Amino acid sequence: MSFGPVCQQCKEPLQIDASLVDLAPSAYDMIVATLPSSSIPTKPSKISERSISEQTSASKALQQHAKSSFLSNKSVSTPLSPRAQGKQAQRAPPPTESFVLLQDSVIHNIPSPSLVSKRGTSKSSTSAPKDNRVDENTNRLVEQDQTNPSPLSHHLRSTARLFNLLSTRTEIDHPLCAECTQILLTNLQKKLDETKKERDGYIAFEKEVRKERERESQGISKEEAERKIEKLKQEEDTAIEQLKEAEREREQLDFELRQLELSERALEAEEAEFWRTYNDHTLGAEQQVSQLASLRAAYAAGVATLEKLERTNVYNDAFCIGHDGVFGTINGLRLGRVPGVPVEWAEINAAWGQTLLLLYTIARKLDYTFENHRLVPMGSFSRIEKTTGDKANYELYGSGDLHFGRLLHNRRFDIAMVAFLDCLKHLMEHIKSQDPGVDFPHQISRDKIGDVSIKLQFNQEEAWTRSLRHVLLALKICLKWATNGANG
């Protein structure tokens, strides 16, 4: 089973480039020669904490020396951050001290020399975690080489030794994939830029120190020093006055701030009250709008009902005049008789009662009073009273009884029908006097309407029925004119 190299950062498997697989010994030696020499001692146990403490004390002494030099020079144009000063101290040690600052990962994780010189041996107990990963790959390759030696395993073993040297002589674990290498290059570029900025700061600081030393070497006279001191005192007094003025302004601003806070609280309370009032008004307005919408809907419904009622003619509903074959009908009651269709006298009398009631209603609506007769609508037993002369009463209903009194009754019935026709004639004349445009198709002359007599005795039933149909038509015209909006 073969194992390939993996990236020491993301742990992804890697594919070795062909240039490394076919690496010649001379190229290998040239790469090793270009690597920086390892500053790590061969015996990590001999590295004591004394060197680290000495380096730390030296760094602190260098920082104190730079600080004292800065304070003695009175003015520095480009101050440095503590980080920059610490790096300057680390990069510029005193000439009498020679040491190298080692990282913990290097001190505690130095690989064993036997790993580089011998094949197939086990790792040292003091090797670093990053070398363990490289050594594991190397051991696997060596074991594979021992079991199945081939030129490819030799090249892989050379590549593993190259990665091991790169890992031990640098601070970076090898091998790395392309993405991790790009990230590493980006970080190193950032560190390079920061180091350049710190270098520029050190150079500027060094220039300022040199200028201060040159000014100190020239020296100043006592009078100049006194003038400078006096000038500094004046500047100090001026600064104190400005400070007092600033304090007074601050107190004034604090007072104004408190007043503004009080005003803000008052405005907030006023705003809360305004919004409460606004919400109340909004709710009231919404309720009024809702009520208005309800009233408008009710008004629209009332108007629609009114229009419907205005279009409705209650008289037409109360007195529905039509025809049924040869018969004229009022409210479904047939008025007349023919030989082939015997109509009961009860139906005829009821129809005459409705006809008399219609004439009476039209006259009352038009506020018209008949001169010679008074209509008495009483259903099937209606009658007409004569208001002049003998003031007789005439029954407007017939009977089918076969006795001697029938002739007398039919005579009174005929007089009542002639009186009805006379009242209808006067009403028609009154309507024509009010509106000459009204046209009645049949004229009334004594007992005839059109050319047919309304009497029943000595008359044919078909002619009598036709005359009654003409009466209903005239009544319908009168009713239509009386119920028109411009009339009555």
Side-chain angles (χ1 to χ4, degrees), residues 134-364:
V134 179
D135 294 341
E136 288 177 1
N137 294 333
T138 305
N139 292 335
R140 291 170 183 171
L141 294 173
V142 171
E143 291 175 0
Q144 183 181 4
D145 185 25
Q146 290 177 356
T147 56
N148 188 16
S150 64
L152 180 60
S153 64
H154 172 71
H155 290 299
L156 292 177
R157 187 167 60 253
S158 301
T159 305
R161 285 202 307 272
L162 180 60
F163 287 152
N164 191 11
L165 285 174
L166 291 173
S167 300
T168 55
R169 294 194 181 185
T170 61
E171 297 180 357
I172 303 167
D173 293 338
H174 291 276
L176 295 176
C177 64
E179 294 181 359
C180 295
T181 304
Q182 185 63 33
I183 295 173
L184 178 62
L185 291 176
T186 303
N187 294 332
L188 290 177
Q189 184 63 36
K190 291 181 180 179
K191 290 182 180 180
L192 178 61
D193 296 338
E194 293 177 356
T195 304
K196 288 181 179 180
K197 292 180 180 179
E198 292 178 359
R199 181 200 62 184
D200 297 338
Y202 288 142
I203 292 174
F205 177 75
E206 183 181 5
K207 290 180 180 179
E208 291 295 330
V209 171
R210 288 179 181 177
K211 290 180 181 179
E212 290 294 331
R213 288 180 179 177
E214 290 177 358
R215 285 196 293 269
E216 289 179 358
S217 63
Q218 293 177 1
I220 58 175
S221 61
K222 182 178 180 181
E223 291 78 7
E224 291 178 355
E226 290 178 353
R227 285 196 301 270
K228 190 173 183 180
I229 291 171
E230 186 65 24
K231 183 179 179 181
L232 291 174
K233 286 182 179 180
Q234 292 177 359
E235 292 178 354
E236 181 182 6
D237 295 337
T238 303
I240 291 173
E241 289 297 329
Q242 292 177 354
L243 179 61
K244 291 180 179 179
E245 182 66 23
E247 288 290 335
R248 288 192 294 270
E249 291 181 359
R250 186 178 66 82
E251 292 176 357
Q252 181 65 24
L253 291 175
D254 290 340
F255 176 75
E256 293 178 359
L257 179 61
R258 288 192 295 271
Q259 295 297 325
L260 290 175
E261 288 177 352
L262 294 176
S263 301
E264 182 182 5
R265 293 192 188 96
L267 287 175
E268 288 177 354
E270 184 178 356
E271 182 182 6
E273 180 65 20
F274 165 76
W275 284 116
R276 186 188 64 78
T277 307
Y278 173 77
N279 292 334
D280 294 339
H281 284 300
T282 303
L283 292 176
E286 290 180 355
Q287 292 177 357
Q288 291 179 358
V289 169
S290 178
Q291 293 177 358
L292 179 61
S294 300
L295 292 175
R296 286 179 175 174
Y299 174 75
V303 169
T305 304
L306 178 60
E307 292 177 354
K308 182 179 179 181
L309 291 177
E310 286 178 349
R311 291 191 302 268
T312 302
N313 192 343
V314 66
Y315 294 100
N316 290 334
D317 294 337
F319 303 100
C320 181
I321 297 175
H323 66 90
D324 182 8
V326 296
F327 298 102
T329 60
I330 179 169
N331 294 335
L333 299 174
R334 290 174 293 182
L335 189 61
R337 291 172 66 92
V338 292
V341 182
V343 179
E344 299 293 335
W345 278 103
E347 183 179 354
I348 296 172
N349 295 335
W352 267 117
Q354 292 291 320
T355 304
L356 184 65
L357 179 62
L358 174 58
L359 182 61
Y360 174 81
T361 303
I362 295 173
R364 188 178 63 177

